[in-house]
Amino acid sequence: MADYYVYTQNLSVGYPKKTVLENIAIGVNRGEILTLIGPNGAGKSTVLKSIAGQLKLIAGTVYIDKTDRSLISKKVLSQKLSVVFTQRLRTELMTCRDVVATGRYPYTGRFGILCAKDRQKVEEAMALIRITAFADEDFAKISDGQRQRVMLARAICQEPDIILLDEPTSYLDIRHKLEFLQLLQNMAREKKLSVIMSLHELDLAKKISDRIICVGEHCVERFGTPQEIFRENYMKTLFGVTTGSFDETTCGMELEMPKGEPKVFVLAGAASGQETFRRLQRRGVAFATGILFENDMDYPVAKALAAKLVNVKATQRIGMERLASAKELASKCESVICCREHFADWEPENRELYEYLQRKPSYRG
């Protein structure tokens, strides 16, 4: 761990009468993004607050650039480390610009008077996060999403080496969520900023993170790259998923498959069947589908929702055996839905299946 810019050693965190997590060993380099994931109440926020110094450590040490954080002065620490947490900032008649400007206090004198350079940094941070349009509005009267962006601008204005963020995308719409994460990634890459944050959106964590920490019951269960973490159906175990399904390859979630024997056969593939699968699920209609290659975009949804599925590995030919299985399934169903009518040269069996289904009285195009 000593090779990391920020790392912990034998860390235990929690509260005076309650230890939440023990023996935490994590690390992040400069220019890297480290993300904490795990169920609600597992202790992700507690870890972040403990690294930041907002909670007293129960045991162990947090190191920044190989120096024990407790030995770094508050002034120097405030220049190195910035936080964006979920708790509301209490302000009285402060504009958004005023809030962003507090990020410069570690660099001002005891009276907090901003110089020309400080004011320039404030304006640059607001422009970067695109909040200049409401910079003069009362911070207490803007939306939660706008507040989150203001707090990020304040953190950037602080020019830290490390930024800690607790669920930073919680109040952001899809546009600002993507803009925010792209900005964070660019800053980590270009400014060599060490980012440690918690996220609920597993798909975003998988895309943006260099390393991921899985916070389970009383301990960090896994620490590694997204490729090392998102495998072997581990997410279902980590989050205790008992209803519906989660696909670790796509990070897609589906509700429970309809119960019973299939009443409808769906010929899909080439990303044509997902909406039909979900429409049948919403109606509680059990269905069968095939013949799907396992690298087809329809496959993860079909695997989660279809009562019966005829599939084939991506590198194999379909073959007459699977064609016969699909025909048999279709013959037992009350109706047929064909989501496609054009087929690639390498799937003549699906073309033959389509022609077979067209002759059935229950065929629906």
Side-chain angles (χ1 to χ4, degrees):
M1 283 291 174
D3 292 334
Y4 290 106
Y5 182 68
V6 182
Y7 64 96
T8 67
Q9 192 171 67
N10 301 321
L11 189 65
S12 295
V13 301
Y15 303 90
K17 295 184 179 180
K18 180 183 179 182
T19 299
V20 177
L21 295 166
E22 297 180 300
N23 299 319
I24 305 167
I26 60 177
V28 59
N29 286 315
R30 297 201 66 154
E32 285 189 340
I33 296 176
L34 175 68
T35 303
L36 284 71
I37 63 173
N40 290 335
K44 301 184 297 295
S45 298
T46 305
V47 172
L48 291 172
K49 290 176 182 177
S50 299
I51 293 173
Q54 294 185 1
L55 288 176
K56 185 178 180 181
L57 303 181
I58 292 176
T61 310
V62 174
Y63 291 94
I64 297 175
D65 198 13
K66 299 183 181 179
T67 301
D68 184 337
R69 190 209 61 208
S70 65
L71 302 178
I72 302 174
S73 70
K74 289 184 179 180
K75 182 176 179 63
V76 172
L77 186 62
S78 65
Q79 294 174 354
K80 284 182 172 290
L81 187 149
S82 182
V83 299
V84 180
F85 287 168
T86 52
Q87 64 260 41
R88 293 292 183 97
L89 181 69
R90 295 181 180 179
T91 62
E92 292 184 10
L93 302 177
M94 290 180 71
T95 66
C96 296
R97 179 180 277 103
D98 294 334
V99 172
V100 175
T102 62
R104 296 305 299 171
Y105 286 177
Y107 301 94
T108 63
R110 68 175 63 183
F111 297 111
I113 298 174
L114 275 60
C115 66
K117 178 183 177 181
D118 294 322
R119 288 191 290 271
Q120 180 184 348
K121 293 293 182 182
V122 171
E123 297 303 321
E124 288 174 355
M126 291 193 301
L128 191 63
I129 307 300
R130 301 183 184 180
I131 63 169
T132 307
F134 54 89
D136 295 316
E137 294 185 26
D138 188 337
F139 179 78
K141 295 180 181 179
I142 60 176
S143 70
D144 287 335
Q146 288 174 321
R147 284 196 194 98
Q148 195 77 340
R149 291 160 62 198
V150 170
M151 297 304 291
L152 178 61
R154 183 180 78 157
I156 290 171
C157 190
Q158 200 170 324
E159 295 186 295
D161 296 326
I162 309 148
I163 186 169
L164 306 179
L165 308 104
D166 189 15
E167 300 295 345
T169 58
S170 296
Y171 302 111
L172 301 182
D173 59 36
I174 187 169
R175 171 197 162 187
H176 291 107
K177 196 171 290 192
L178 290 171
E179 286 182 356
F180 167 79
L181 291 176
Q182 187 62 65
L183 174 66
L184 205 60
Q185 188 179 70
N186 292 344
M187 288 176 58
R189 185 188 304 129
E190 296 167 10
K191 298 181 181 295
K192 297 300 179 184
L193 182 69
S194 298
V195 178
I196 306 175
M197 66 177 171
S198 62
L199 281 179
H200 274 309
E201 299 97 329
L202 298 183
D203 57 332
L204 298 180
K206 186 176 183 180
K207 290 178 174 69
I208 196 173
S209 308
D210 294 293
R211 288 183 178 82
I212 291 176
I213 296 171
C214 300
V215 181
E217 188 175 358
H218 304 307
C219 67
V220 170
E221 292 189 358
R222 290 190 181 183
F223 171 47
T225 65
Q227 292 77 14
E228 293 168 335
I229 297 299
F230 285 88
R231 58 188 177 89
E232 302 168 353
N233 289 320
Y234 171 62
M235 289 300 121
K236 293 181 70 174
T237 302
L238 177 64
F239 287 90
V241 176
T242 57
T243 302
S245 65
F246 177 82
D247 184 86
E248 296 189 86
T249 303
T250 63
C251 286
M253 294 182 291
E254 300 295 339
L255 300 177
E256 285 186 325
M257 74 170 61
K259 293 179 173 59
E261 290 296 310
K263 297 181 179 180
V264 179
F265 185 88
V266 182
L267 176 62
S272 64
Q274 296 176 40
E275 290 308 312
T276 299
F277 299 157
R278 291 180 179 129
R279 183 172 68 251
L280 291 170
Q281 189 277 339
R282 288 194 294 270
R283 295 175 180 174
V285 177
F287 66 91
T289 187
I291 307 166
L292 292 177
F293 290 97
E294 291 180 5
N295 64 342
D296 194 291
M297 292 179 66
D298 281 343
Y299 177 73
V301 183
K303 184 180 177 183
L305 299 182
K308 299 280 179 68
L309 168 63
V310 182
N311 59 288
V312 59
K313 292 186 180 299
T315 56
Q316 293 182 353
R317 295 295 299 267
I318 292 176
M320 299 308 295
E321 183 179 345
R322 283 184 173 81
L323 174 59
S325 296
K327 286 182 177 180
E328 183 181 359
L329 271 178
S331 67
K332 296 178 180 178
C333 291
E334 298 173 5
S335 61
V336 169
I337 300 174
C338 288
C339 299
R340 57 187 296 218
E341 56 185 29
H342 301 291
F343 304 91
D345 293 339
W346 59 80
E347 51 175 346
E349 295 88 351
N350 269 336
R351 186 181 296 107
E352 182 177 336
L353 178 61
Y354 172 69
E355 293 168 355
Y356 167 80
L357 296 175
Q358 280 186 306
R359 295 193 294 269
K360 287 180 64 66
S362 56
Y363 167 76
R364 288 161 55 192

